[in-house]
Amino acid sequence: MPDTAASGPSALPLTPGSLDLDRLVHDVAEVLYVEPSDISPDEDLIDQGLDSIRLMTLVERWRAEGARISFVDLAERPTLREWAALLSPTA
């Protein structure tokens, strides 16, 4: 079973292709302290309350789990749908 200690107790383990839209919604909702149903995948995440500290938290979490992503990559594309395309295994 994959170790998720680096990403917090409620994070889902990262497996190939697991940074899909559902996973991203879950993780963003967690750092914003809202329900996943409150997150819109097409709305700018800054308008939904995401700040640079929380964004860096997500980047570090996903990097610790093996994702190859940077703060700038995500900050330049501030919607979950864009992140899902960027983080897909075929990207």
Side-chain angles (χ1 to χ4, degrees), residues 3-79:
D3 178 22
T4 60
S7 58
S10 63
L12 304 171
L14 181 63
T15 59
S18 71
L19 282 176
D20 60 11
L21 188 57
D22 289 336
R23 166 72 192 268
L24 298 176
V25 168
H26 174 271
D27 288 356
V28 169
E30 184 179 322
V31 299
L32 293 179
Y33 302 103
V34 299
E35 293 298 317
S37 61
D38 294 337
I39 301 294
S40 170
D42 296 307
E43 188 177 336
D44 188 310
L45 290 165
I46 294 166
D47 293 341
Q48 295 183 75
L50 189 70
D51 58 26
S52 61
I53 301 299
R54 290 180 176 134
L55 177 54
M56 200 64 223
T57 298
L58 292 168
V59 169
E60 291 303 316
R61 172 186 296 177
W62 297 332
R63 281 183 183 164
E65 296 178 30
R68 296 176 136 196
I69 196 68
S70 75
F71 177 90
V72 173
D73 290 333
L74 299 182
E76 289 178 344
R77 299 162 185 85
T79 71

